[in-house]
Amino acid sequence: MTTPSFHPLTIRECRRETADTVSIAFDVPADLADRFRFVQGQYLTLKTRIGDEEVRRSYSICSGVGEGELRVAVKKVDGGLFSTHANQSLAPGAVLEVMTPMGRFHTPIAPDAARTYVAFAAGSGITPVMSILKTVLAQEPKSRFVLVYGNRTVSSIIFREELEDLKNRYIGRLVIHHVLSREPEEAGLLGGRIGAGLVRELCAGPLKAEDIDAAFLCGPQPMVEEVRDALAACGTPPANIHVELFGTTTSARPAAKMAATDTPTDAATIAILQDGKRKEFTLAYDGESILDAAHRHGADLPYSCKSGVCCTCRAKIREGKVEMAENYSLEPWEVEAGYVLTCQSRPLTERVVIDFDAA
Ligand code: FES
């Protein structure tokens, strides 16, 4: 994994997708083209100053690989500083600091494969799914895709027209089920919400749960967990189910609970390895996260959500032990291999060495 880095990019286009969602396309200069090459389903972290505050947020890329553009979609959330700014004030010509693409919400493309893909998305959870869907349909001509997309009303469906066009372009290979929670059921539209009942209903029809090669779930945590469990119960192999959360139900992260380990001192010594350099500081066992402490000591480490969701702050433990309060993004093998989310990590041993240069 290359070390993520910020670069100033100029906005080429702001396109209104719905009343509260704008998509933003960036110009990528030729000398940065390699650094901004992305895989379907990845996200960008955007950084800017709003008033006196430095704000950074992650947004999924909605372009397909090979479409020749780098575009994210930003849905306005109530009280959201950046999302309100993006929807009301950003315009072509503005420059944002953009971090190189990150994220592993994808499976490798195999042009000769004939796979069955399924995606369950709610609201702006469609954004990475859009990138995956367009890439798969264009680059795996024998694969098919079923999209289940939940919204409140027809007018809140992001990319509605583009999805219709895709359905017409890929007749027989793309099936879309719109699920609307605040509109009466009618032809082509399902009422209600995405949940276990709907998964069971779909899997009782022509879609066989055990035949799903890759299921992509993106939305709020309760929906994603319910769909994941229902798919697994219907027979989809758990390894084929891929999850991306936006927002978590955990609003305040508790300090990591202390395990009964060797902590004879009041504070641990933390060493951060980054870009071949080493920075050391001490940190109380039950205090702030390693990421926050490192920033307070002048380190410039990558981060975005600080909630254990985005994985931007991932690093590898070289010495010692930490405890993570939350982990919504590391795979079990990564935890096994010693990777941690530093925004969620607090020391458990007297000495901890953390490597941000580890691939
Ligand atoms: S900053 Fe997002 S998981 Fe740590």
Side-chain angles (χ1 to χ4, degrees):
M1 195 158 96
T2 0
T3 315
S5 53
F6 278 105
H7 302 271
L9 294 187
T10 304
I11 294 177
R12 181 174 53 76
E13 187 192 32
C14 292
R15 189 166 70 205
R16 180 119 323 263
E17 302 289 351
T18 64
D20 60 3
T21 302
V22 67
S23 72
I24 301 168
F26 294 97
D27 271 331
V28 180
D31 60 329
L32 288 176
D34 275 351
R35 300 243 45 199
F36 279 95
R37 210 175 297 286
F38 64 90
V39 178
Q40 68 279 7
Q42 286 193 306
Y43 63 87
L44 299 177
T45 299
L46 312 181
K47 180 169 80 169
T48 192
R49 290 200 80 78
I50 302 175
D52 289 340
E53 206 176 322
E54 182 194 286
V55 186
R56 51 173 93 186
R57 297 284 186 275
S58 297
Y59 294 102
S60 292
I61 296 168
C62 54
S63 345
V65 171
E67 273 195 304
E69 75 167 4
L70 184 66
R71 182 184 290 271
V72 295
V74 181
K75 180 170 180 172
K76 185 170 172 291
V77 293
D78 284 344
L81 199 54
F82 189 93
S83 65
T84 304
H85 175 69
N87 271 272
Q88 291 176 355
S89 311
L90 284 181
V95 175
L96 294 177
E97 288 288 323
V98 182
M99 193 186 279
T100 43
M102 293 192 71
R104 288 147 314 146
F105 188 49
H106 66 272
T107 49
I109 293 289
D112 290 335
R115 294 176 176 145
T116 297
Y117 290 84
V118 177
F120 289 83
S124 57
I126 189 66
T127 315
V129 167
M130 201 66 185
S131 172
I132 295 166
L133 178 155
K134 287 192 280 186
T135 306
V136 162
L137 290 171
Q139 298 190 0
E140 281 186 9
K142 289 183 251 170
S143 292
R144 65 180 183 133
F145 210 110
V146 178
L147 168 65
V148 183
Y149 183 16
N151 279 287
R152 288 189 180 151
T153 60
V154 169
S155 64
S156 59
I157 300 176
I158 308 170
F159 306 127
R160 184 169 164 226
E161 277 179 23
E162 194 178 355
L163 285 169
E164 280 307 304
D165 290 347
L166 287 165
K167 212 164 68 175
N168 294 332
R169 189 181 328 158
Y170 296 109
I171 291 175
R173 294 178 54 214
L174 172 61
V175 174
I176 302 177
H177 299 287
H178 285 291
V179 183
L180 300 175
S181 61
R182 302 233 178 123
E183 295 213 0
E185 202 157 314
E186 57 179 83
L189 302 174
L190 301 170
R193 53 180 281 280
I194 296 178
L198 183 62
V199 171
R200 283 192 293 269
E201 223 174 283
L202 286 170
C203 293
L207 178 70
K208 295 282 164 271
E210 60 274 22
D211 294 341
I212 296 173
D213 296 292
F216 293 96
L217 321 181
C218 188
Q221 189 179 1
M223 177 213 102
V224 161
E225 288 178 351
E226 192 177 330
V227 171
R228 179 197 60 197
D229 295 347
L231 278 173
C234 287
T236 305
N240 294 2
I241 304 174
H242 309 275
V243 162
E244 181 105 320
L245 297 177
F246 60 77
T248 69
T249 51
T250 315
S251 51
R253 295 186 309 284
K257 68 178 184 315
M258 294 300 298
T261 52
D262 44 343
T263 54
T265 53
D266 290 343
T269 301
I270 311 289
I272 301 285
L273 311 178
Q274 186 193 25
D275 298 332
K277 298 196 191 91
R278 182 185 190 97
K279 178 179 279 292
E280 280 203 10
F281 54 88
T282 54
L283 175 62
Y285 292 104
D286 55 355
E288 61 197 331
S289 70
I290 289 176
L291 181 82
D292 283 342
H295 282 142
R296 202 164 43 74
H297 286 87
D300 184 15
L301 303 177
Y303 73 91
S304 179
C305 71
K306 287 199 183 177
S307 306
V309 173
C310 73
C311 211
T312 312
C313 63
R314 173 189 189 262
K316 189 170 187 175
I317 299 287
R318 294 285 182 204
E319 197 183 320
K321 280 191 200 152
V322 303
E323 182 160 75
M324 282 190 283
E326 302 288 359
N327 169 26
Y328 298 104
S329 49
L330 290 175
E331 302 284 344
W333 73 263
E334 292 177 292
V335 175
E336 191 71 16
Y339 288 97
V340 294
L341 302 172
T342 52
C343 73
Q344 297 297 307
S345 297
R346 289 170 178 82
L348 285 179
T349 52
E350 223 176 305
R351 184 168 181 74
V352 175
V353 179
I354 301 189
D355 188 351
F356 277 81
D357 296 332

